Amino acid sequence: EGFFVKSVKMPAGFLDKQWDRQQLYTFTAWCNSHLRKLGIHIESVAQDFRSGVNLVKLLEVISGGEIARLETGKMRIHKVNNVKKALDFVASKGVNLIGIGAEEIVDGNLKMTLGMIWTIILGFAIQ
């Protein structure tokens, strides 16, 4: 007589992990669609933006601007400084990145990296 849906118990965090995976794939593809103009391909925003170099390149492509000179060292402090330059550039364009720090991106924090990319998409691509 009625329509009944049988309750299905999903493992804890299953939908969150699935959602994160889908966002990671989608945001990586979006970034590659812009980075391709420079001949750059990344495998994952979660890993390939940690040094700040590819993040700066992406921002330069989508903004048409130029960001301060990057640090070439491989130490954590160099990576943090590069990501900070990128985040400062985003903020200078009026895009609000509250709660997203350079250290979290360098450390590979997936939620923060995805949040940063989403904010960049909203701020630069959807205008």
Side-chain angles (χ1 to χ4, degrees):
E1 292 179 23
F3 181 75
F4 296 96
V5 176
K6 182 179 178 184
S7 175
V8 177
K9 182 154 175 87
M10 302 297 276
F14 174 79
L15 292 177
D16 284 344
K17 289 177 187 172
Q18 192 174 23
W19 178 249
D20 288 349
R21 221 177 4 260
Q22 184 60 44
Q23 281 187 311
L24 181 61
Y25 173 81
T26 302
F27 291 173
T28 299
W30 182 85
C31 292
N32 276 325
S33 75
H34 294 285
L35 289 170
R36 151 178 327 124
K37 298 168 189 165
L38 300 176
I40 297 171
H41 176 83
I42 62 171
E43 295 298 321
S44 165
V45 294
Q47 295 301 316
D48 297 329
F49 284 162
R50 291 178 69 179
S51 73
V53 174
N54 288 327
L55 177 58
V56 165
K57 300 278 186 204
L58 172 70
L59 291 170
E60 289 178 340
V61 168
I62 63 175
S63 72
E66 202 168 305
I67 299 177
R69 191 166 168 260
L70 292 172
E71 297 188 17
T72 57
K74 301 290 183 199
M75 293 174 55
R76 185 176 197 284
I77 188 68
H78 300 122
K79 296 174 183 181
V80 169
N81 288 339
N82 286 341
V83 173
K84 185 166 178 6
K85 288 176 186 178
L87 298 179
D88 289 347
F89 177 79
V90 171
S92 77
K93 299 298 182 188
V95 178
N96 196 350
L97 287 169
I98 299 243
I100 299 173
E103 293 84 1
E104 293 162 322
I105 305 305
V106 171
D107 292 341
N109 182 314
L110 180 60
K111 293 277 188 200
M112 290 296 151
T113 302
L114 293 175
M116 175 192 68
I117 297 300
W118 178 241
T119 304
I120 289 169
I121 291 170
L122 291 176
F124 287 91
I126 304 174
Q127 295 177 353

